[in-house]
Amino acid sequence: MKRIIRGATLELVQGDITLQEVDAIVNAANSRLAGGGGVDGAIHRRGGPSIMEETRQKYPDGCPTGSAVISGAGQLKAKYVIHAVGPVWRGGQQQEAELLASAYRRSLQLAVEHQCRSVAFPALSTGAYGYPMDQAARIALQTVYAFLAEHGRPELVRFVLFDDRAYRQFAEAMEELIPEHAPNQG
Ligand code: AR6
């Protein structure tokens, strides 16, 4: 499923983010950039140790929640990995929505600054960090939509949803928030 926004494509696919052939893959990292399970584990396993070596060297203090940093992509097909730190879900009153949106925005800014034409995102914060998928989907899509409506790039932003349920929640949110003939389309 996809939408065209100011000439850029926003699309949803189901799959494994580590296999995407895009300029930048976004990692669901933690603020220590210490590695972990989920997307993070899969990226470091498939990309090899150079990714962690680089982030340790360049970002010894890690990365605050709601922000992102960038590194090379080791053996992955991508050129870059953008390590985005989403919030841990604590019930919704701890600025989780703002922090999640800002992790997406900062990732998109880094991608544009590094001339990435295509970026793949996982559903940040919806695994170990416990963010409810339906709410996370809305924030993710709204934030990317607003960024593309303003900047018209990256040319391709792809959400890679791991399972059928995540895909359906994102697809529902997309139908609702970005109608096929929204004003910024085309
Ligand atoms: N491709 C795409 N999506 C995936 C993949 C994959 N290979 N693997 C899991 N998902 P998570 P978080 C989905 O836990 O919630 C780590 O330990 C998964 O089903 O990776 O932001 C870090 O080091 C879920 O919907 O990230 C942090 O400590 C989504 O990706 C912490 O987890 C995100 O799940 C970050 O937690």
Side-chain angles (χ1 to χ4, degrees), residues 7-117:
T9 301
L10 170 53
E11 76 176 353
L12 310 180
V13 303
Q14 195 181 328
D16 180 341
I17 193 153
T18 62
L19 301 176
Q20 303 300 309
E21 297 192 28
V22 287
D23 291 338
I25 287 177
V26 178
N27 182 17
N30 55 65
S31 55
R32 291 178 302 127
L33 304 177
V39 171
D40 207 350
I43 284 179
H44 288 293
R45 261 196 312 279
R46 213 180 274 275
S50 69
I51 301 175
M52 185 80 79
E53 280 158 21
E54 185 179 341
T55 55
R56 273 216 190 99
Q57 220 172 51
K58 285 193 179 151
Y59 314 107
D61 300 328
C63 171
T65 301
S67 191
V69 297
I70 191 164
S71 74
Q75 290 153 37
L76 296 170
K77 285 176 181 151
K79 292 186 193 137
Y80 298 103
V81 174
I82 294 172
H83 306 266
V85 184
V88 175
W89 177 256
R90 294 197 168 89
Q93 303 301 310
Q94 308 291 320
Q95 299 191 303
E96 291 95 330
E98 256 168 69
L99 290 166
L100 185 60
S102 108
Y104 277 105
R105 265 195 304 274
R106 184 66 193 130
S107 299
L108 290 164
Q109 280 165 0
L110 281 170
V112 169
E113 281 167 25
H114 288 77
Q115 277 85 44
C116 295
R117 295 167 67 180

Side-chain angles (χ1 to χ4, degrees), residues 15-17 28-30 35-40 123-129 133 160 162:
D16 180 341
I17 193 153
N30 55 65
V39 171
D40 207 350
L124 295 174
S125 286
T126 62
Y129 283 0
M133 186 65 76
V160 183
F162 207 39

